[in-house]
Amino acid sequence: MYKLLTVQRRNPCQIVKFCTEKKPRIPDDKKLLRELSGKIRFTGPITIAEYMREVLTNPIHGFYMDKDVLGSEGHFVTSPEISQMFGETLAVWFLNEWMKMGEPKQFQLVELGPGKGTLTSDILRTFARVRPDALAGMSVHFVEVSTKMRKLQEATLCDHIPHGWAGQEEKVHVTKYGPSVAWYQTLRDVPQQFSFYLAHEFFDALAVNKFQRTPEGWREVLIDIDPTAAEGTKLRYIISRNATPSCVLLEQDGVKDMMVGREKVELSTAGGSLVREISQRVVERGGACLIADYGHLGEDGDTFRAFRNHKQVDPLELPGSADLTADVDFGYLRSQVSPDCAWYGPTTQDNFLHSCGIATRCEQLLASSDKKLHNNIMDSYTTLTKEMGERFKFASLFPASMGQIHEKYPPVGFSGTETDEPEKPEN
């Protein structure tokens, strides 16, 4: 005999709702801290370079990978976001050097870490207005690791809603100005052709190894778990007991002499390798490179810091929630370029922008705009040339074979004669 059981059926709508309802994801700001602490327990203290790479470009928790980092709503604002004058001024520089090289019909514009794409967009717009014929043979190439940033760049340049990005493969689209644009994970993937390279606030985000002179010689600054705090909840800096493998960097030709009289040093092997590759491309394929960043010539070796919501914070606090940066050592970069490549600079942003005509462009905008906008225009001009004018530096690379041309016509902004007090536009 079987006993019949009556089971009350559930409302299928409730089941569907239960299965499809999404719970809000609660941010876990300490997840990356726990992962780093676990790694340190297992392998020992890590270098600042390892820490920076993990914090900035970790595929899941990396600061640059899935956050809105630029603009007033992000964590920092860059010059292209402050005013169109910045990108327009750089476009004038590229146009001038392009004409000086004989106006090659086919060339690439390669930007490393292009942010939202605003800078290249302003450059293309200026080309379209001043020399539209130059766009016919131009192609744009972006080196960008973040899928989120690629979508923003596509929206800026292509003027449409971005398509889906599946994986990390190269994507090619046509910009609203005509030239095609493609994305790459690394510079090595970019075609080797006549190119103008642009790196604006890119080198400062590359991982650095930090060293400190001790009575026993150079030692590396490492990151360890702070034993005074609850286990794994806080990190600290320590000095390595012995020379680390990275210390060999300080013994390289061209670098050792730079260490005389220095007590602290920050060097980026990634930055050195990158500028070496760019210089080799410029020599072998033709073109030029423009680097813009805040930095020095070796006088400061203690600049590693972090920014969250436009404020400077402890770099070791809540890794993954703040941008990490270190000033660029232009002296070190210069030591890494090919011997067949000519290096110019660094010069101040104030001098460079005025040499390229930013004051004239500011006057044009003032003359063609409503008076209500005059204060905004002048504020932007002042920020770019005064507030950021001395701290930010520009450097450029050219084939050394252009030496005779540059003796007569030096690269704009790098003539060696800086204006003490550039003429200010009249408001």
Side-chain angles (χ1 to χ4, degrees):
M1 294 290 292
Y2 294 95
K3 186 176 180 180
L4 183 64
L5 297 177
T6 303
V7 179
Q8 186 176 0
R9 296 177 61 89
R10 293 183 180 179
N11 185 338
C13 294
Q14 290 179 337
I15 297 176
V16 171
K17 183 178 180 180
F18 174 78
C19 294
T20 61
E21 186 176 7
K22 294 182 179 180
K23 295 183 179 180
R25 191 177 71 175
I26 301 175
D28 186 357
D29 292 336
K30 295 185 178 181
K31 186 172 180 57
L32 186 54
L33 173 61
R34 291 195 297 271
E35 291 186 7
L36 288 168
S37 297
K39 179 179 182 180
I40 292 172
R41 288 193 202 94
F42 186 72
T43 63
I46 60 175
T47 66
I48 288 180
E50 290 178 273
Y51 180 78
M52 289 185 71
R53 283 191 292 267
E54 194 68 19
V55 169
L56 297 179
T57 58
N58 178 289
I60 299 176
H61 309 296
F63 180 77
Y64 290 147
M65 305 310 287
D66 65 349
K67 297 178 178 65
D68 293 323
V69 300
L70 290 171
S72 58
E73 300 300 321
H75 296 268
F76 56 91
V77 178
T78 60
S79 295
E81 308 296 331
I82 292 173
S83 171
Q84 67 186 66
M85 291 185 288
F86 185 82
E88 292 169 342
T89 304
L90 267 61
V92 170
W93 188 87
F94 281 115
L95 272 169
N96 185 80
E97 301 308 320
W98 172 73
M99 291 188 289
K100 197 182 297 181
M101 293 177 177
E103 302 186 7
K105 294 191 176 189
Q106 301 291 327
F107 66 98
Q108 300 180 153
L109 176 61
V110 182
E111 186 175 2
L112 310 177
K116 293 182 178 179
T118 304
L119 180 53
T120 290
S121 180
D122 288 340
I123 290 173
L124 293 181
R125 190 184 66 255
T126 305
F127 266 70
R129 186 173 65 247
V130 180
R131 284 295 301 269
D133 57 304
L135 296 175
M138 180 199 292
S139 58
V140 177
H141 303 262
F142 281 164
V143 178
E144 177 60 70
V145 298
S146 169
T147 300
K148 185 178 183 67
M149 296 308 296
R150 288 185 179 195
K151 292 179 180 179
L152 293 174
Q153 293 152 14
E154 182 184 348
T156 299
L157 283 181
C158 302
D159 208 17
H160 61 68
I161 299 175
H163 300 296
W165 287 84
Q168 300 176 340
E169 72 277 12
E170 172 188 333
K171 289 279 185 176
V172 181
H173 297 291
V174 177
T175 69
K176 55 190 174 185
Y177 303 103
S180 63
V181 56
W183 284 263
Y184 308 85
Q185 284 290 111
T186 68
L187 178 62
R188 291 189 300 272
D189 301 324
V190 177
Q192 296 200 35
Q193 299 177 18
F194 186 101
S195 303
F196 289 105
Y197 297 91
L198 175 59
H200 175 258
E201 288 201 49
F202 177 77
F203 282 92
D204 69 278
L206 297 180
V208 297
N209 292 88
K210 189 168 183 173
F211 306 94
Q212 184 168 319
R213 191 188 294 275
T214 71
E216 293 76 30
W218 286 103
R219 296 294 184 263
E220 187 166 5
V221 179
L222 304 175
I223 295 175
D224 196 6
I225 298 173
D226 189 342
T228 64
E231 187 175 1
T233 61
K234 189 176 181 181
L235 302 175
R236 65 167 181 169
Y237 300 109
I238 63 170
I239 305 297
S240 64
R241 296 179 181 177
N242 303 299
T244 63
S246 299
C247 289
V248 72
L249 292 171
L250 307 178
E251 300 297 325
Q252 289 181 341
D253 293 339
V255 178
K256 188 174 182 179
D257 293 341
M258 296 170 50
M259 298 302 108
V260 177
R262 300 177 67 173
E263 297 298 320
K264 296 181 179 181
V265 178
E266 294 165 333
L267 295 182
S268 171
T269 56
S273 299
L274 195 61
V275 78
R276 194 180 310 120
E277 181 178 354
I278 292 174
S279 67
Q280 291 170 348
R281 284 173 171 242
V282 165
V283 169
E284 296 172 3
R285 301 292 181 173
C289 174
L290 187 64
I291 300 172
D293 230 312
Y294 44 84
H296 53 84
L297 281 170
E299 64 273 14
D300 196 347
D302 190 15
T303 67
F304 178 56
R305 58 199 183 279
F307 289 92
R308 183 189 302 120
N309 298 323
H310 307 278
K311 295 181 181 180
Q312 189 168 334
V313 297
D314 181 358
L316 304 186
E317 179 188 52
L318 296 178
S321 66
D323 182 35
L324 301 180
T325 182
D327 284 9
V328 176
D329 189 333
F330 283 101
Y332 172 67
L333 292 186
R334 182 171 57 188
S335 73
Q336 299 301 299
V337 302
S338 164
D340 298 316
C341 187
W343 168 284
Y344 294 87
T347 186
T348 64
Q349 177 166 296
D350 181 32
N351 175 69
F352 180 85
L353 295 181
H354 278 102
S355 299
C356 294
I358 192 173
T360 300
R361 181 54 179 155
C362 185
E363 290 176 351
Q364 292 173 344
L365 290 176
L366 291 171
S368 61
S369 63
D370 191 291
K371 287 190 175 182
K372 295 180 180 179
L373 299 176
H374 283 197
N375 286 339
N376 289 339
I377 295 173
M378 287 304 302
D379 287 346
S380 298
Y381 169 84
T382 300
T383 299
L384 292 174
T385 60
K386 297 301 179 185
E387 296 177 16
M388 304 171 70
E390 294 297 321
R391 183 161 173 71
F392 280 78
K393 308 290 194 302
F394 278 74
S396 61
L397 286 73
F398 290 86
S401 58
M402 292 186 65
Q404 289 185 341
I405 297 175
H406 286 153
E407 284 182 9
K408 189 174 182 180
Y409 305 106
V412 177
F414 300 98
S415 62
T417 55
E418 296 193 8
T419 304
D420 292 332
E421 189 62 35
E423 183 178 350
K424 183 178 180 180
E426 295 183 2
N427 190 353

